[in-house]
Amino acid sequence: MASIGDISGNEAALARQAEILSQPLTAERVMANAIRALTIDSVETAKCGHPGMPMGMADASTVLWKQFLKYDAADASWWDRDRFVLSAGHGSMLLYALLHLSGYEGMGIEQLKTFRQLHSVAAGHPEYHEHPAIEMTTGPLGQGLATAVGMAMAERLLAAKFGKSLVNHRTYVIAGDGCLMEGVSHEAGALAGHLKLNKLVVLWDDNRISIDGGTEMSVSEDPLKRFANYGWATKRVDGHDFEALQAALAWAQRSTRPVMIACKTIIGFGAPAKAGTAGSHGAALGGAEAQAAKLALGWPHLPFHVPAEVYKDWHEAGSRGAGTRRAWLKRLAKHPQRAEFERVMAGKLPEGWVEAMSAYKASLTETRPKLATRQASQKALEVLVPAVAELVGGSADLTGSNLTLVKGMAGASADNFAARYIYYGVREFGMAAAMNGLALHGGLIPYGGTFFVFSDYMRPAIRLAALMRVRAIHVLTHDSIGLGEDGPTHQPIEHLASFRAMPNVLVLRPADAVETAEAWEIAIRNTTGPSLLVLSRQAVPALRLVANGCKSARGAYVLAEAEGKRAATIIATGTEVALAMEARAKLAAEGIQVAVVSAPSFELFAQQDAGYQAEVLGNARRIGVEAACGFGWERWLGADGVFIGMTGFGASAPAEILYEHFGITEAAIVAAVKKEGN
């Protein structure tokens, strides 16, 4: 068994490699060897990296990029391009070499020389925004594949809306053994098969090597059989046989189901000793092995040198789609839906939606409904969905609880993508990853629902959305012990604090129907990361009696000022704001004047200037109230502040009993104010 400690190699792999290397060099093999050589040089220069996968998948990638992938290196933002996702993101040099060789600007030889260095576009793992042709951030295994499912869904949804003359492209993924081991690959694969996303093609780098050694140490399943059971079309090929690869990719174009092609490869192909072993996975080959590999590949050139004739072949591949792109631009220019297509793809919001929401908020101040904020969210969606055509909703099998479906939203199916709602099933992680793909593709604003406590299952995808700063909206209901009898397994305690600690995540916990509408307005506008709408199961009274502007946009504001000098400032979020208002009334009856601050978003409040923060928080002592843990509240409460909330997990009982049991009550707030007043 090959392992890091035994890099003498897999004898069968080395014998197979020797047979392949003994064959005459073809133009395609030389093109692939350019990828291998640049990978070796970049990793050796950085003295770290993952050369094995790029060297093993160079042949399959060459066939894909030379003959099948629809792209034009002159325009990385062409909307009808095929999407290429390197799910096995540790093999980032494969992507960087492909971008460089095919002629993309901004990935020159100098960028490759700075591989894995500070501020380099050629980061250790592909990073979205570092280069326009990097479709997404990858590295956490399995998420590239799962996000690509969302991209493929977006293509189908937009094609149903705008027609194939504008939207007709594929999504290609290179995934490794590790990607298929990760649980999210199961969720995403099953969803893709159910929806028959036939324009999704996964090339599995079937090298059977993991960091610990051969995959037989930990895996005995056949992933192709698993994906076939999900409804995928599957095929096995020799990942170093150009004709077989070409035939398999041509077959994939005709499939009526998503496709997985197992490319049997040799990791570190070309390395005399380390090929076929874990030793080539995650470390530089080393000077002698690197030089020997290049000689074995028939690459006698200096580091970072690619002969002109090889560049010529690659640049021809990179410009192969230029004519297709120009023809598409002509179709777009004449298309009756051009203006709308350009608007949604550019991410611009439509006219009229702001006015519709303003009218809706005004109606709330008149009717003053007592609603759970999850119900208020659904009512806001009843206004937003008709006004913002690119909104696409969904839920992880909790539609009736999250209240994410509104009238006029049909559910997408394999036979009907003229729809705006997705039934994700019990696949929270897969849903969040697919939402990232929907957002990254462009043209859609995804939102999806589940219980707030199950955001634990979604956290890796939310974190990736935060890294990429993509607009995905999570509707997270049943937000506290207020959900009641379902008990501590379903009662989120630490979740608000943990997401508030995550950069680029916008957490919004509204107090009533008006604040919920404002939260939706903020989330729709937020293009710098994911938004989390944290919503209640239990009803709350109307607290905002005047819909003047969008007060929630500043994160916190004085909902009710003290009638005179403040004896204290009570700061609360969500359902606990109503408790704070009750306590204020009780204290006022006793001649004690306090202010109540509603703080739906710590992140937005932190962005305000010091003057505004001081005006809201005041000079009096502060009491924080939230049915969650108090971690992070010290920033707003100060050294003398008091927090009323949870110090442990919840329990199973009706909500009102739980609030009493855990001491989150009007009486507790009143007592805290009086104690601090002495």
Side-chain angles (χ1 to χ4, degrees):
M1 175 174 14
S3 68
I4 292 177
D6 174 20
I7 59 171
S8 59
N10 178 305
E11 291 185 3
L14 290 178
R16 182 171 170 235
Q17 174 175 277
E19 178 185 357
I20 296 169
L21 291 175
S22 68
Q23 298 169 3
L25 280 174
T26 62
E28 290 81 5
R29 183 78 67 193
V30 173
M31 291 174 71
N33 286 345
I35 297 172
R36 296 183 172 105
L38 289 173
T39 295
I40 292 170
D41 294 339
S42 298
V43 174
E44 290 300 311
T45 299
K47 296 182 173 56
C48 63
H50 298 77
M53 192 279 278
M55 295 172 72
M57 282 297 285
D59 297 331
S61 301
T62 297
V63 174
L64 175 62
W65 282 60
K66 183 175 184 289
Q67 299 181 54
F68 293 94
L69 191 72
K70 184 172 77 170
Y71 70 110
D72 182 359
D75 185 1
S77 62
W78 173 25
W79 284 324
D80 200 38
R81 69 190 181 278
D82 285 348
R83 271 55 172 180
F84 176 78
V85 175
L86 186 66
S87 188
H90 56 274
S92 56
M93 267 309 303
L94 176 65
L95 177 56
Y96 303 150
L98 287 164
L99 296 180
H100 169 72
L101 291 166
S102 57
Y104 281 92
E105 289 187 9
M107 194 61 76
I109 206 71
E110 293 305 314
Q111 280 72 43
L112 300 188
K113 290 179 180 179
T114 63
F115 177 55
R116 295 174 74 91
Q117 304 308 302
L118 185 63
H119 303 311
S120 175
V121 299
H125 291 81
E127 298 290 349
Y128 187 61
H129 292 310
E130 290 293 346
H131 188 280
I134 297 174
E135 299 285 1
M136 67 169 292
T137 294
T138 55
L141 294 179
Q143 282 208 61
L145 190 161
T147 304
V149 169
M151 294 179 182
M153 289 165 56
E155 191 276 341
R156 294 291 296 271
L157 291 165
L158 290 168
K161 181 176 181 179
F162 293 106
K164 290 186 177 181
S165 65
L166 291 188
V167 185
N168 187 15
H169 54 264
R170 298 179 186 276
T171 303
Y172 289 95
V173 180
I174 287 182
D177 292 301
C179 291
L180 303 190
M181 292 183 205
E182 286 286 358
V184 73
S185 76
H186 300 243
E187 295 183 26
L191 180 61
H194 173 71
L195 292 174
K196 296 183 180 178
L197 299 176
N198 65 304
K199 291 187 178 180
L200 175 64
V201 180
V202 175
L203 301 178
W204 166 29
D205 178 20
D206 181 16
N207 61 45
R208 302 301 170 97
I209 294 293
S210 65
I211 291 176
D212 284 348
T215 56
E216 71 276 4
M217 299 172 69
S218 56
V219 176
S220 56
E221 68 185 43
D222 182 347
L224 282 192
K225 290 182 180 178
R226 172 159 62 90
F227 275 78
N229 282 334
Y230 292 153
W232 289 53
T234 63
K235 185 179 285 290
R236 298 182 191 275
V237 297
D238 182 337
H240 302 295
D241 184 328
F242 287 93
E243 290 186 1
L245 289 163
Q246 181 179 351
L249 283 165
W251 165 79
Q253 315 301 300
R254 303 187 296 271
S255 178
T256 58
R257 296 177 289 164
V259 172
M260 175 169 284
I261 301 171
C263 303
K264 184 63 179 173
T265 62
I266 300 169
I267 191 171
F269 180 87
K274 295 186 177 182
T277 75
S280 67
H281 171 84
L285 296 178
E289 181 79 355
Q291 185 61 29
K294 290 170 76 173
L295 289 174
L297 293 167
W299 193 268
H301 309 295
L302 293 172
F304 295 105
H305 175 75
V306 177
E309 61 271 20
V310 181
Y311 272 130
K312 179 177 180 293
D313 288 344
W314 267 112
H315 287 170
E316 287 179 358
S319 61
R320 177 175 50 85
T324 303
R325 180 176 65 87
R326 287 193 295 269
W328 179 86
L329 287 170
K330 290 179 181 177
R331 293 196 301 274
L332 175 63
K334 299 176 181 178
H335 201 282
Q337 294 174 283
R338 174 185 176 179
E340 177 68 359
F341 180 78
E342 290 181 333
R343 181 190 70 77
V344 299
M345 293 305 294
K348 295 180 180 179
L349 292 171
E351 295 181 359
W353 78 276
V354 173
E355 292 77 8
M357 286 298 286
S358 295
Y360 166 64
K361 287 193 295 181
S363 73
L364 290 175
T365 62
E366 294 177 3
T367 58
R368 301 182 182 182
K370 182 177 182 179
L371 297 170
T373 52
R374 61 172 178 151
Q375 293 174 302
S377 170
Q378 186 180 45
K379 290 189 175 298
L381 282 171
E382 289 172 355
V383 178
L384 282 168
V385 167
V388 184
E390 56 268 39
L391 269 177
V392 174
S395 174
D397 198 46
L398 288 168
T399 295
S401 293
N402 302 146
L403 304 180
T404 41
L405 180 66
V406 300
K407 185 178 180 180
M409 297 183 81
S413 68
D415 302 319
N416 178 30
F417 280 89
R420 295 178 63 184
Y421 197 81
I422 299 158
Y423 293 98
Y424 287 100
V426 187
R427 303 183 181 106
E428 291 90 353
F429 191 177
M431 174 179 72
M435 287 168 61
N436 289 347
L438 289 164
L440 286 164
H441 179 280
L444 300 170
I445 301 174
Y447 70 87
T450 187
F451 289 175
F452 188 28
V453 76
F454 300 139
S455 61
D456 282 338
Y457 291 141
M458 305 159 66
R459 190 175 304 273
I462 293 174
R463 185 175 189 272
L464 214 55
L467 273 168
M468 295 186 288
R469 292 179 173 268
V470 298
R471 178 167 49 188
I473 303 172
H474 297 276
V475 179
L476 303 171
T477 68
H478 296 60
D479 66 349
S480 70
I481 58 169
L483 71 87
E485 293 87 344
D486 279 341
T489 60
H490 283 52
Q491 293 166 2
I493 300 300
E494 73 282 12
H495 300 69
L496 282 167
S498 65
F499 280 114
R500 286 168 178 159
M502 190 179 288
N504 304 335
V505 174
L506 186 56
V507 181
L508 298 151
R509 188 172 186 240
D512 70 353
V514 172
E515 278 197 8
T516 303
E518 291 180 343
W520 267 107
E521 288 181 299
I522 293 165
I524 291 288
R525 287 192 172 102
N526 180 26
T527 59
T528 60
S531 299
L532 277 55
L533 275 63
V534 182
L535 307 172
S536 73
R537 181 194 184 203
Q538 72 272 37
V540 288
L543 300 172
R544 277 277 297 283
L545 306 183
V546 179
N548 46 346
C550 184
K551 289 184 176 293
S552 298
R554 303 194 78 172
Y557 63 95
V558 179
L559 176 63
E561 186 56 271
E563 295 180 6
K565 185 179 179 181
R566 294 187 190 182
T569 300
I570 306 170
I571 310 167
T573 78
T575 47
E576 288 70 68
V577 177
L579 279 178
M581 290 294 286
E582 291 172 6
R584 177 181 180 271
K586 175 73 172 178
L587 289 162
E590 299 180 23
I592 303 171
Q593 299 298 327
V594 300
V596 171
V597 170
S598 179
S601 175
F602 283 14
E603 296 83 16
L604 292 176
F605 189 50
Q607 295 171 15
Q608 306 307 309
D609 62 76
Y612 178 76
Q613 291 179 355
E615 177 188 340
V616 170
L617 297 175
N619 296 320
R621 289 184 176 180
R622 302 164 193 165
I623 293 92
V625 189
E626 188 171 65
C629 74
F631 190 85
W633 269 88
E634 60 276 0
R635 177 175 186 179
W636 309 122
L637 298 182
D640 298 328
V642 173
F643 178 74
I644 297 172
M646 299 294 293
T647 57
F649 292 118
S652 177
E656 61 274 13
I657 297 207
L658 290 175
Y659 273 83
E660 185 73 31
H661 175 73
F662 289 109
I664 308 172
T665 62
E666 170 199 322
I669 300 170
V670 168
V673 171
K674 287 183 175 180
K675 182 178 180 181
E676 294 195 2
N678 294 332

